[in-house]
Amino acid sequence: MTFKIAAYGVRENEIAYFNKLNKYDYELTLLADNLTHDNVDTAKGHDAVLIRANNIADAQNLATLAEYGIKYVFTRTVAYSHIDLAAAKSNGQTVAYVPSYSPYAVGELAFTLALMQQRHTTMAAANAAKGQFQVLPGMFATELHDLTVGIIGTGRIGRAEAELWRGVGATVLGYDVYENEDAKALLTYATEEELLSKSDIVSLHVPHFPGKNDAYFDADYVSKMKDGAILVNTARAEITDQDAILAAIESGKLNGFATDVVSQERLFFGKDFKGESTGNATVDKMMALYPQVIVTPHMGSYTEEALTDMISISFDNFNDVLTTGTSRNVVESN
C-alpha cells in the first residue's frame, strides 16, 4: 500500500528535487501554501504531513490531522518549535525533524550580510539606484583582515561562518556553553562580555528554546557591544529583543543590523506588502531603517545542497519509522 505524504510550503523550483529524491516511492502531494487553519483540510486522505517553519502545527491543527487519521507530523527543518509536541504526544502522533543540513547555507548568508553592512554596499547601491553617486563619510570601512568577528553559538553553522572569516584573515572569537575542539582550529573562545566588547561584527547562531532563552539578547547585551559594531542574526528572532536592537541603531550605538528572521515571521514572510505597512510597528521600523537594517526573508537554508539534505533526511525519517517503528530524529515533549 502506497504511503501518502502531503508536503507543505513547496516552492515551484523545489518540486523536481522532491520527485528526484523520492527513492522510497511515496505518493507525494506537493502544496505551495504553508499549512494553516484554513487549508488543513488539504491533508485529508494522507498518512502524513511534511511541513516547514512558519507552518501551523498547533493543538488545533494537530487535533484536526488526528481526526483525519494522520499519525506522522514531520518537519524538514532543524527547528521544530512550530509543532506543539505535547499535543502531538496526546494525539499519539509521531514528530520528527532534520537535525542538520549543509551548514554552509546559513553560514554563507551570515557572512554575506555582514560584508554588505561592513562595506556599506547596500547603502552605496541604494543611493546609486536613485542617481546619487557620491562617496559619503558613512561608507568609510575597515578592511576585512583587520576585523574582529564574534560568533555566538559555535555549532556546525557557526563554525562554517568562522571558516569563511578566517579565510579573509579576520580575527575570530567564539562563545558557546559547550566549547568543542573542532572550533578551536578556527576561532579563539572568549567570555560573552569579552566577545561583545571586542567584536566589530557579532553573528548569532543560537537555537531558540521557548520559555528558556526568549529575547535573551536584549538591551543589556547590546550595551556591552563595541560602539559602531554590526549585529547579524540568521538564527531565530525570538532569541533577541528586536526593539532594543533597533533603538541601538537609531542612537548610533550600532552601525548596522542584518537579519534573516523576524518574530512571528509567518505573518510577514512569503507575503508581498507592495511597499505598504505590514501592520507591525517593529517590522515597519526595520523597513524604515534600511539600509542600516537589512532584512532577508528567511532564505538561509535556500541552497541546492541544504534543500537536498532536508528532503533526503525527511524521507529517511519516514522510512525509518515505517520499517523500524522509530527514528533517531523523532522528537517528543519533555
Side-chain angles (χ1 to χ4, degrees):
M1 185 174 179
T2 304
F3 189 73
K4 300 178 181 179
I5 303 171
Y8 292 86
V10 178
R11 301 179 179 98
E12 185 176 354
N13 67 308
E14 296 177 339
I15 294 173
Y17 290 88
F18 272 89
N19 291 328
K20 178 179 68 174
L21 297 169
N22 186 17
K23 63 182 178 181
Y24 301 110
D25 293 322
Y26 300 128
E27 184 174 324
L28 304 175
T29 301
L30 305 178
L31 301 152
D33 292 333
N34 288 328
L35 179 65
T36 67
H37 291 148
D38 295 328
N39 68 3
V40 65
D41 62 320
T42 56
K44 284 182 180 178
H46 294 86
D47 302 298
V49 295
L50 179 59
I51 61 177
R52 61 185 305 158
N54 300 323
N55 284 226
I56 298 177
D58 59 5
Q60 177 182 325
N61 262 5
L62 290 174
T64 302
L65 294 174
E67 290 175 9
Y68 298 159
I70 294 174
K71 298 180 180 179
Y72 308 100
V73 181
F74 288 11
T75 184
R76 59 184 175 108
T77 55
V78 173
Y80 47 83
S81 57
H82 50 294
I83 303 175
D84 188 328
L85 297 179
K89 184 176 182 179
S90 178
N91 298 336
Q93 293 164 315
T94 301
V95 176
Y97 77 125
V98 173
S100 65
Y101 46 78
S102 172
Y104 294 100
V106 178
E108 287 176 1
L109 179 63
F111 179 72
T112 300
L113 291 174
L115 288 181
M116 291 169 67
Q117 290 292 50
Q118 193 274 332
R119 277 308 303 258
H120 312 293
T121 53
T122 305
M123 177 195 298
N127 288 352
K130 296 182 292 186
Q132 182 182 357
F133 299 104
Q134 298 167 303
V135 177
L136 303 175
M139 297 175 185
F140 197 55
T142 301
E143 294 176 12
L144 302 186
H145 60 90
D146 280 331
L147 293 176
T148 296
V149 179
I151 308 288
I152 299 182
T154 59
R156 296 176 72 241
I157 295 173
R159 295 199 301 273
E161 186 184 359
E163 186 177 345
L164 295 170
W165 286 114
R166 278 292 298 273
V168 295
T171 297
V172 187
L173 301 179
Y175 174 78
D176 201 305
V177 175
Y178 303 103
E179 297 183 6
N180 62 73
E181 292 302 317
D182 290 343
K184 290 180 181 178
L186 300 169
L187 54 82
T188 301
Y189 276 109
T191 65
E192 269 187 309
E193 291 201 0
E194 182 183 3
L195 181 150
L196 292 172
S197 67
K198 291 184 176 181
S199 297
D200 302 292
I201 296 167
V202 174
S203 187
L204 304 179
H205 295 292
V206 179
H208 176 225
F209 301 105
K212 296 181 180 179
N213 67 344
D214 303 295
Y216 93 90
F217 202 96
D218 56 12
D220 181 54
Y221 271 72
V222 172
S223 71
K224 295 174 183 177
M225 291 179 66
K226 184 176 180 179
D227 289 348
I230 293 165
L231 179 64
V232 179
N233 185 11
T234 53
R236 287 292 180 269
E238 288 75 16
I239 66 172
T240 66
D241 181 335
Q242 296 178 126
D243 292 322
I245 294 168
L246 297 182
I249 292 291
E250 291 180 305
S251 72
K253 169 65 178 177
L254 297 183
N255 199 32
F257 175 48
T259 182
D260 191 42
V261 290
V262 299
S263 291
Q264 296 183 299
E265 61 186 46
R266 66 181 177 80
L267 301 177
F268 314 105
F269 289 175
K271 300 180 180 181
D272 183 359
F273 292 92
K274 302 185 183 300
E276 302 297 325
S277 171
T278 65
N280 181 279
T282 300
V283 176
D284 284 352
K285 182 178 285 189
M286 290 181 180
M287 303 300 101
L289 288 172
Y290 174 86
Q292 267 194 292
V293 174
I294 301 174
V295 181
T296 50
H298 207 145
M299 58 185 282
S301 62
Y302 199 45
T303 68
E304 181 175 10
E305 294 82 357
L307 178 68
T308 298
D309 289 344
M310 294 162 83
I311 296 172
S312 296
I313 294 171
S314 294
F315 286 165
D316 287 341
N317 287 343
F318 282 118
N319 182 67
D320 290 344
V321 169
L322 292 173
T323 57
T324 71
T326 189
S327 165
R328 62 181 180 178
N329 297 328
V330 165
V331 289
E332 298 181 356
S333 63
N334 295 325

